[in-house]
Amino acid sequence: MIKHAIEARAQIGLLGLLHLHFKNNTIKVSAVLKLIQILALAALAAGCSTVDFDYPKPESSALSETQDTYLAKHFRGAGDSYPEDYAGFQTLSDGIEALSVRLALADLAEKSIDAQYYLLKKDVTGKAFVLSLLRAADRGVRVRLLLDDMFTGGYDAGLAGLDSHPNIEIRIFNPFASRSARFWDGITGFSRINRRMHNKSFTIDNQVTLIGGRNIADEYFGARKDAKFGDLDVLGIGPVVQDVSSMFDTYWKHERSAAINAFAKMPEDPAIELERLRKAFTQAEKEIMTTRYAAAVTESIITSAQGELGMFTWAPYQLAVDSPDKSISSKSATAASITTPLLESILAAKKEVLIISPYFVPGKSGVEALVKLQESGIAVTIITNSLAANNQIMVHGGYAPSRKPLLQAGIKIYEVRADATIAGSEIVAADDAKTTLHTKAFAVDRKEAFIGSFNFDPRSANINTELGVIIRSEKIATEIAVLIEEKAPAGAFEVFLNDDNKLRWRGLDNGVDVVLDKEPQSTQWQRFQAGFYRILPIDSQL
């Protein structure tokens, strides 16, 4: 999946020019010359920019002496009746609950917070999240925040301000060298910039951890009126927490994790920036607290804080994670890969494999592997986004050619509707808000399940770093399977081939079964874009 600014901007620019051409049948030469001018200036601005990856970074590791914290005491003894290699897990599919758990845990933190994210927006939920970290730091909690640099444009001053807090340290993974000419920096340094940290983890007092598919932005938590993402996180207690902490430390200390001072133009007085940010975010919080969404989150926070230990399912597990060396082209081929345990899990199936992936681009080898599974008697089902629901049309173009060979083999495919219901979005989201599947999970034989950040596409497999957990639990695997079975009829279109080997979509229209011969709920322009991307040789980047 292409989820970074270089290709996103290239996509917008290309489509804009195409749209202008088809609308007006001409593109003014002056506009092209202007574009060349802008690129030339960007090249000059980026030409002397570098990242000092050798810039000194303070030594720190996950805190081990946290047994006297509230969370340690709260969960003490929870796994005593299970083997030592079992951990406790609780899935979070509701957006409001997923946010409230994060805020509640930050409020309960006493010693440390380690947060690692691909995307942190400066919107309602982003501000609430940052405020929760800041307030924890004010109480004396050590906060380490590791962010990928793809979506931090314009954030340098605020990040420097946060970093100036005595209890907060921020590092940026694989930063752009030029802060003002990222587009050009991405072109000239593509082999490095193209590799992103897509991991998501949130660990409190080395006692509780939260990993999964959600970034920190309104659409993941039901707080946007125009977009709602269906996603899945998993809360973990027990030994899995130390595994995630060890993973975090490996990324935190990695050569691609840079201190703010190593690349950013620092404000004259970061402390002033910190107070400016605190004031602005606190004022925004006051305004937000009058909304129905805030009331729902507050109520959910209280429920989360009073959660019962019995809500956790104890099971053996395996943390699945890429080595951060994958972010370095020269080391990526030999770096430990998340694909190894994931493939082992799927290929061990005896009866059934259910795959949920918003950005599903299996490629030729992936199609062959899935077809082989199906032909061996294993029922394979794929759940992904429809064209109308997909927020990455380029990816849909890469996925579309795989449908026929998969269907011909007997594999079932369901594409999520753009108007599907998403738990936790009913408070804010308007009725016509676009739904996008963002869950990354699979279930094997209803006995083990994967939840994490990994998409079934070349980008997750070969370019970005990813994180997740394989849980060997019949209960959790069955929960995922049942969720699909219950939601698919009303929330997705089943793709099939008719007698003439043509793609068709079966779904409900006001409760009535219908069969469609075009990508459901899509516009002609969306179908044109997907078709255009389908012919481009870019599958390896999707």
Side-chain angles (χ1 to χ4, degrees):
M1 175 184 58
I2 296 180
K3 290 177 67 179
H4 52 79
I6 307 163
E7 293 175 47
R9 292 181 191 179
Q11 175 186 358
I12 292 168
L14 176 61
L15 294 180
L17 289 174
L18 283 172
H19 181 63
L20 187 63
H21 174 73
F22 285 110
K23 184 177 180 180
N24 299 329
N25 296 318
T26 183
I27 299 175
K28 293 183 179 179
V29 174
S30 60
V32 176
L33 293 175
K34 183 70 173 178
L35 177 61
I36 293 172
Q37 266 187 327
I38 292 171
L39 290 176
L41 290 172
L44 289 172
C48 58
S49 300
T50 60
V51 177
D52 183 4
F53 285 110
D54 294 323
Y55 191 92
K57 296 179 288 189
E59 284 289 330
S60 66
S61 299
L63 300 182
S64 57
E65 300 300 321
T66 61
Q67 297 305 313
D68 59 341
T69 60
Y70 169 83
L71 288 172
K73 295 173 183 176
H74 184 69
F75 294 118
R76 186 166 295 155
D80 284 355
S81 61
Y82 299 95
E84 291 184 356
D85 59 346
Y86 278 44
F89 297 98
Q90 179 185 345
T91 58
L92 300 173
S93 59
D94 184 286
I96 289 176
E97 183 183 19
L99 177 62
S100 67
V101 167
R102 285 168 168 83
L103 299 182
L105 287 173
D107 190 51
L108 292 169
E110 296 177 26
K111 295 287 185 69
S112 66
I113 297 176
D114 288 336
Q116 174 188 33
Y117 283 101
Y118 172 65
L119 167 65
L120 169 58
K121 281 189 181 180
K122 200 160 54 176
D123 53 14
V124 170
T125 56
K127 290 175 182 177
F129 181 78
V130 170
L131 271 177
S132 73
L133 301 184
L134 183 54
R135 286 167 178 164
D138 290 342
R139 299 193 308 269
V141 176
R142 187 195 72 178
V143 176
R144 297 189 296 176
L145 176 60
L146 177 60
L147 294 176
D148 186 79
D149 199 34
M150 188 49 63
F151 294 103
T152 62
Y155 286 12
D156 284 4
L159 291 173
L162 283 172
D163 190 65
S164 72
H165 193 293
N167 292 323
I168 298 178
E169 186 179 356
I170 295 176
R171 293 183 185 175
I172 303 299
F173 196 84
N174 201 16
F176 287 78
S178 173
R179 311 311 287 170
S180 59
R182 288 180 169 226
F183 178 76
W184 189 258
D185 191 23
I187 293 174
T188 57
F190 182 77
S191 64
R192 178 178 72 83
I193 293 298
N194 189 39
R195 295 180 178 271
R196 308 313 318 171
M197 182 192 76
H198 196 233
N199 310 29
K200 293 102 172 159
S201 73
F202 186 60
T203 305
I204 308 298
D205 286 343
N206 207 9
Q207 296 294 327
V208 186
T209 193
L210 184 62
I211 63 177
R214 286 184 175 91
N215 292 296
I216 306 299
D218 287 353
E219 53 267 33
Y220 298 91
F221 302 103
R224 269 183 67 170
K225 292 183 178 181
D226 60 341
K228 48 188 178 181
F229 280 17
D231 219 322
L232 186 65
D233 292 322
V234 62
L235 195 64
I237 58 176
V240 68
V241 181
Q242 285 70 50
D243 292 342
V244 173
S245 290
S246 177
M247 175 279 305
F248 182 92
D249 280 348
T250 301
Y251 274 80
W252 183 253
K253 299 173 183 179
H254 194 261
E255 59 186 281
R256 281 289 186 255
S257 293
I260 299 288
N261 308 59
F263 58 88
K265 182 179 179 181
M266 300 296 288
E268 291 185 10
D269 190 339
I272 292 177
E273 286 297 328
L274 174 60
E275 291 312 307
R276 183 196 64 77
L277 182 146
R278 186 195 297 272
K279 183 178 180 181
F281 281 23
T282 302
Q283 179 58 38
E285 180 187 47
K286 290 179 180 178
E287 297 171 3
I288 294 164
M289 288 306 294
T290 62
T291 66
R292 289 179 60 211
Y293 182 79
V297 171
T298 301
E299 182 179 350
S300 184
I301 287 174
I302 295 170
T303 303
S304 299
Q306 297 172 343
E308 296 297 323
L309 298 182
M311 298 173 70
F312 286 87
T313 298
W314 287 81
Y317 70 94
Q318 180 179 3
L319 193 71
V321 60
D322 282 313
S323 164
D325 282 348
K326 187 180 178 183
S327 66
I328 302 173
S329 297
S330 61
K331 297 181 179 181
S332 62
T334 57
S337 173
I338 191 174
T339 59
T340 301
L342 300 192
L343 285 174
E344 288 175 352
S345 177
I346 291 173
L347 294 178
K350 303 298 183 185
K351 296 179 180 179
E352 177 186 63
V353 174
L354 304 172
I355 296 173
I356 308 174
S357 182
Y359 313 107
F360 181 72
V361 186
K364 183 179 179 181
S365 61
V367 168
E368 290 174 352
L370 291 171
V371 167
K372 187 175 180 180
L373 271 180
Q374 180 74 27
E375 291 177 343
S376 69
I378 297 165
V380 179
T381 301
I382 309 296
I383 299 89
T384 190
N385 276 307
S386 65
L387 172 58
N390 206 320
N391 65 327
Q392 300 286 341
I393 293 179
M394 190 180 294
V395 174
H396 191 87
Y399 147 71
S402 69
R403 289 184 291 201
K404 274 195 176 183
L406 292 174
L407 292 169
Q408 287 167 345
I411 292 171
K412 290 185 178 181
I413 300 177
Y414 293 91
E415 295 181 353
V416 171
R417 302 172 61 109
D419 59 358
T421 301
I422 299 298
S425 66
E426 63 279 358
I427 301 298
V428 169
D431 291 339
D432 58 351
K434 175 181 173 178
T435 292
T436 296
L437 173 71
H438 200 259
T439 298
K440 302 100 163 44
F442 65 71
V444 175
D445 293 338
R446 308 201 180 199
K447 291 184 177 179
E448 73 178 43
F450 167 80
I451 300 170
S453 67
F454 182 89
N455 293 299
F456 281 76
D457 61 20
R459 175 156 290 276
S460 280
N462 306 317
I463 301 173
N464 290 348
T465 68
E466 306 288 355
L467 167 68
V469 62
I470 297 170
I471 307 169
R472 298 183 174 96
S473 163
E474 184 176 343
K475 181 177 183 293
I476 290 178
T478 300
E479 282 177 3
I480 292 174
V482 170
L483 183 68
I484 293 169
E485 291 170 350
E486 291 180 349
K487 297 291 185 182
F493 295 96
E494 181 180 5
V495 190
F496 68 98
L497 297 173
N498 68 5
D499 293 338
D500 295 325
N501 203 37
K502 301 291 186 182
L503 287 174
R504 294 294 183 264
W505 290 261
R506 181 183 294 112
L508 293 174
D509 184 6
N510 294 320
V512 178
D513 285 318
V514 295
V515 173
L516 305 173
D517 60 4
K518 291 186 177 67
E519 303 269 7
Q521 301 175 317
S522 66
T523 65
Q524 185 175 358
W525 176 236
Q526 287 173 319
R527 295 192 292 274
F528 168 78
Q529 292 177 73
F532 176 78
Y533 288 126
R534 184 170 176 171
I535 64 175
L536 295 180
I538 57 174
D539 283 6
S540 66
Q541 296 298 309
L542 298 176

